[in-house]
């Protein structure tokens, strides 16, 4: 894990994912449905994007690919649906149950820990690296 990636690269990768994937999906589906407040189709597609794309694209999302970083398992095995479910949904539940405090703690963990792992990385047994597949 010597090539783990810190806070800013991960932050900008997430920002790029929102800018390139999430925002356009939300705008398109809100325009199609005419409902700008309760639009669920883009939310479902965004969740599927966060679950499936890293599995089929060697740990990359569009934002991570642009930033040259990707998600990998600590044990070196290929990402699977179970790993991504743990990373996305179970960690999301933890963040909601802690009223967002867990998310803030995770940001500090990524910025301050030597291995740059957040709570969702520990739950799923992953880390983010700049190493190519």
């Amino acid at each position: 894990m010597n090539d783990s990636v810190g806070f800013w690269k991960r932050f900008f990768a997430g920002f790029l994912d929102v800018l390139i994937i999430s925002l356009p999906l939300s705008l398109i589906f809100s325009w199609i449905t005419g409902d700008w407040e309760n639009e669920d189709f883009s939310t479902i597609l965004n969740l599927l994007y966060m679950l499936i794309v890293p599995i089929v694209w060697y740990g990359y999302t569009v934002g991570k690919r642009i930033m040259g970083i990707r998600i990998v398992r600590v044990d070196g095995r290929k990402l699977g649906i179970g790993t991504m479910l743990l990373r996305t949904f179970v960690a999301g539940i933890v963040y909601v149950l802690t009223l967002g405090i867990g998310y803030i703690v995770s940001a500090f963990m990524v910025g301050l820990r030597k291995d740059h792992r957040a709570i969702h990385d520990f739950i799923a047994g992953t880390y983010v690296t700049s190493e190519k597949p």
Side-chain angles (χ1 to χ4, degrees):
M1 275 192 278
N2 295 334
D3 55 354
S4 63
V5 176
F7 178 80
W8 288 110
K9 276 194 169 185
R10 290 172 71 150
F11 175 82
F12 284 119
F15 178 75
L16 288 170
D17 278 328
V18 167
L19 196 64
I20 296 168
I21 303 296
S22 300
L23 183 62
L25 278 176
S26 295
L27 292 173
I28 290 166
F29 280 103
S30 295
W31 180 71
I32 289 170
T33 63
D35 188 357
W36 296 93
E37 293 177 13
N38 299 317
E39 202 289 297
D40 295 328
F41 295 113
S42 63
T43 303
I44 292 167
L45 285 178
N46 280 321
L47 286 173
L48 289 173
Y49 167 76
M50 295 306 292
L51 282 175
I52 296 170
V53 171
I55 295 169
V56 299
W57 204 14
Y58 304 103
Y60 291 109
T61 62
V62 172
K64 283 182 175 58
R65 182 65 183 216
I66 292 169
M67 293 302 295
I69 63 177
R70 67 191 187 99
I71 305 164
V72 295
R73 287 178 51 136
V74 173
D75 62 10
R77 294 182 11 219
K78 190 176 186 303
L79 289 177
I81 192 69
T83 302
M84 292 311 296
L85 283 169
L86 285 170
R87 186 177 165 90
T88 305
F89 286 116
V90 175
I93 291 168
V94 169
Y95 294 149
V96 168
L97 290 176
T98 61
L99 305 175
I101 294 170
Y103 196 73
I104 294 167
V105 169
S106 281
F108 277 100
M109 289 171 67
V110 170
L112 300 174
R113 287 179 56 90
K114 186 176 180 178
D115 63 2
H116 304 291
R117 292 176 72 199
I119 293 170
H120 55 268
D121 289 312
F122 281 100
I123 290 170
T126 60
Y127 70 102
V128 177
T129 183
S130 57
E131 183 180 295
K132 304 245 186 280

